[in-house]
Amino acid sequence: GQAGPKGVAGLTVRQRANLTDMIRSQITPCWNPPVAEGNSGHVTVLMRISLDRAGGVSGTPSVSRITGRTPANAAYANALSSSVRRAVLRCSPLTLSAELYDAWANVELNFDPKDVS
């Protein structure tokens, strides 16, 4: 057998993108972002997620960054980040390749409500 790459450093850019897309595609169906109001602007949430070997969420997903947040849309930005956290927890456990565990044990994913149709 051929040994798989260890950790994110061992993955190509394409493999990292594919892994990120695979994780996001499993979380997005569980995500119900709040409806943006006229003054909400374009807000995105970068969420840090720790996963155990079974694909379950370990600890509480945390917000790394919120882009587009202003005093006028702070309530919307908070609701958006809460909706992402709920989606991550609701869709757990994720189905991921065990041999790439080191690459997906701790991930940061960007969530943009414009990506949800």
Side-chain angles (χ1 to χ4, degrees):
Q2 189 175 357
K6 292 288 183 197
V8 176
L11 298 179
T12 67
V13 171
R14 180 181 291 275
Q15 287 171 319
R16 283 194 298 265
N18 287 345
L19 186 59
T20 300
D21 289 345
M22 181 184 305
I23 294 169
R24 188 180 291 107
S25 72
Q26 292 182 56
I27 296 171
T28 301
C30 298
W31 187 29
N32 187 18
V35 175
E37 296 175 6
N39 66 343
S40 297
H42 184 212
V43 179
T44 64
V45 175
L46 183 67
M47 186 69 65
R48 177 178 292 125
I49 306 164
S50 295
L51 300 163
D52 61 27
R53 289 193 175 276
V57 175
S58 177
T60 302
S62 62
V63 174
S64 294
R65 184 175 62 242
I66 299 176
T67 60
R69 182 181 182 150
T70 66
N73 70 8
Y76 170 75
N78 290 339
L80 184 65
S81 62
S82 293
S83 73
V84 172
R85 187 175 291 113
R86 282 191 306 274
V88 169
L89 294 170
R90 190 177 301 135
C91 276
S92 175
L94 304 177
T95 303
L96 300 163
S97 174
E99 59 269 7
L100 293 177
Y101 175 71
D102 290 342
W104 54 257
N106 294 288
V107 295
E108 285 188 329
L109 295 174
N110 194 53
F111 290 86
D112 185 339
K114 291 184 177 183
D115 294 339
V116 179
S117 51

